[in-house]
Amino acid sequence: MAVTLQQIAEAAGVSRGTVDRALNNRGRINAEVADRIRRIADEMGYQPNRAGRALAMSKRSITIGVLIQAAETPFMENVIEGAEDAKAEVERLGADVIIRRMEDFDAGKAVEAMYELKKAGCNGIAMIPVDDGELKETVNRFADENIPVITFNSDIEESKRLCFVGQDTYQSGRVAAGLMADILPADGKVLVISGYPTSYGHKNRTKGFLGEFAALREDVRVLDVQYDFDDDYMAEMITRGMLKEYEDLSGIYLAASGVEGVCKALKDFGMEEKVKVISNDLTARNVQYLREGKIRFLIGQDGYRQGYEPVMLLFEKIFDGKEPEKEYAYTEIVIKTRYNLV
């Protein structure tokens, strides 16, 4: 994959915006910093002018569609930021990017949105999908029509999508199980709260957790999986119900959103110390709960990259036919405690 502004930013230890200002001579920036960024860009082989001229000469219209489901959740803010930065970067090269946001996971609406993006002239689509037969058929149909689809954050198994960018969610669930197994006392019970039963990522995290935890702690019973549909109120109601029914509840694993609701219920029941909580995503609110000791571990997954990289991969695929280097571009599994927060 060609060198991007984000890669230069990471190498230089600055923001992507600072790199943009340095390479395009706009805005105020320290001269020494600008020189260092330009030197790093040269060493990495960054060639923005050549790519821009080639795209202009190709006389080929490139429009990339980005479909983000569950866009209102806190985690997706970072994903959207990455997508917006990628949009700005490829649009400077002459392409267009259309970003569509959906409030929930809805297969039918996702299919409709895909056709709307196609009608708008999109040559490729990056999307957060759900596990649904009609949506899978639509992805396959688009691929057959030479409209490549890249999935990110969540995947569609055995489809013709070009590649997947996101966390290895099954392994993430196993990591959570190992952490939970290490901190729980003998006996007791564990509750798993997932998001959407149709979300590949949520299902995979849950599956990974259940399999690994059963192998590690035969003495602890795992209760039936509950679904909160990424809603804090639902998560709170589920937790309240379980606390009333099971006095020996000792652990809660959140495979999706809902931390605020869980923590509120535990506080009201005076169970914050007894019930150990493990969740996902380094959102500002989750990090605050981690600092306060209300969550024992957070597992991060680099949402920014999940929004940024699919757009860049599609641009290269459509522009010069370059295939992604990997079918699964997994983001890092990051484990955070209250003691290693920056």
Side-chain angles (χ1 to χ4, degrees):
M1 190 169 79
V3 177
T4 66
L5 297 188
Q6 181 61 27
Q7 290 172 319
I8 298 171
E10 292 172 356
V14 298
S15 71
R16 196 202 65 84
T18 300
V19 172
D20 177 58
R21 291 193 293 274
L23 297 182
N24 292 285
N25 298 308
R26 58 169 170 258
R28 299 178 62 181
I29 180 173
N30 180 278
E32 292 183 4
V33 173
D35 288 341
R36 180 165 60 88
I37 290 171
R38 295 188 191 102
R39 185 175 65 255
I40 291 172
D42 288 340
E43 292 172 352
M44 296 177 71
Y46 183 65
Q47 297 177 305
N49 293 331
R50 179 187 63 81
R53 287 197 301 270
L55 181 58
M57 292 171 61
S58 71
K59 297 181 181 180
R60 182 178 181 186
S61 174
I62 294 181
T63 303
I64 296 168
V66 181
L67 179 57
I68 301 176
Q69 300 202 70
E72 302 303 316
T73 58
F75 169 73
M76 289 302 171
E77 293 178 6
N78 207 17
V79 175
I80 293 169
E81 180 185 358
E84 292 284 0
D85 281 354
K87 169 183 166 74
E89 190 164 336
V90 301
E91 287 187 344
R92 280 194 294 273
L93 299 176
D96 292 314
V97 178
I98 302 172
I99 299 177
R100 294 284 175 86
R101 308 181 189 188
M102 295 174 54
E103 184 175 349
D104 301 310
F105 282 108
D106 189 310
K109 290 181 179 178
V111 170
E112 291 178 5
M114 288 182 70
Y115 279 106
E116 290 172 359
L117 290 170
K118 178 184 176 182
K119 187 176 180 180
C122 290
N123 313 96
I125 294 176
M127 68 179 301
I128 298 176
V130 294
D131 187 10
D132 176 81
E134 183 183 4
L135 187 57
K136 178 179 176 180
E137 290 178 4
T138 304
V139 170
N140 292 344
R141 190 175 302 116
F142 276 44
D144 291 339
E145 296 175 4
N146 294 317
I147 302 175
V149 176
I150 291 179
T151 57
F152 63 99
N153 184 257
S154 188
D155 200 9
I156 299 182
E157 291 184 299
E158 299 179 356
S159 69
K160 295 182 180 179
R161 57 100 174 100
L162 188 63
C163 69
F164 166 73
V165 179
Q167 188 182 65
D168 183 342
T169 46
Y170 182 82
Q171 187 65 15
S172 174
R174 293 186 67 226
V175 168
L179 295 170
M180 186 71 80
D182 284 345
I183 62 176
L184 289 191
D187 302 317
K189 294 178 176 63
V190 170
L191 169 65
V192 177
I193 301 178
S194 192
Y196 287 81
T198 56
S199 167
Y200 174 88
H202 298 171
K203 288 195 302 182
N204 248 19
R205 282 199 193 114
T206 301
K207 184 178 179 181
F209 181 90
L210 294 176
E212 188 68 14
F213 193 83
L216 294 173
R217 293 296 300 269
E218 294 182 356
D219 61 308
V220 177
R221 176 186 167 191
V222 180
L223 304 174
D224 290 340
V225 177
Q226 303 290 312
Y227 296 93
D228 67 6
F229 300 92
D230 281 338
D231 183 83
D232 281 307
Y233 178 76
M234 285 286 293
E236 180 186 347
M237 293 301 101
I238 290 169
T239 305
R240 287 180 178 275
M242 290 299 177
L243 288 171
K244 290 177 181 178
E245 187 172 355
Y246 301 102
E247 294 182 356
D248 56 347
L249 184 67
S250 55
I252 296 177
Y253 170 56
L254 280 144
S257 299
V259 168
E260 184 174 359
V262 167
C263 289
K264 185 176 187 304
L266 291 177
K267 180 180 180 180
D268 290 348
F269 276 74
M271 298 287 281
E272 290 177 296
E273 291 296 324
K274 180 180 178 182
V275 179
K276 312 298 190 298
V277 179
I278 297 177
S279 188
N280 292 274
D281 303 328
L282 302 172
T283 64
R285 185 172 58 186
N286 287 1
V287 167
Q288 183 58 38
Y289 284 135
L290 186 65
R291 290 186 190 280
E292 296 171 355
K294 297 175 181 178
I295 299 175
R296 302 309 167 101
F297 296 99
L298 277 177
I299 302 175
Q301 58 172 321
D302 196 349
Y304 181 91
R305 180 185 165 196
Q306 292 180 27
Y308 179 88
E309 192 164 320
V311 176
M312 305 308 296
L313 289 171
L314 280 173
F315 176 76
E316 292 193 342
K317 168 66 176 175
I318 299 166
F319 177 48
D320 61 10
K322 184 175 181 180
E323 300 290 336
E325 295 179 1
K326 300 177 181 179
E327 180 182 358
Y328 296 94
Y330 287 134
T331 57
E332 188 177 0
I333 297 174
V334 179
I335 301 172
K336 289 290 186 179
T337 75
R338 64 191 297 184
Y339 300 106
N340 70 340
L341 288 172
V342 177

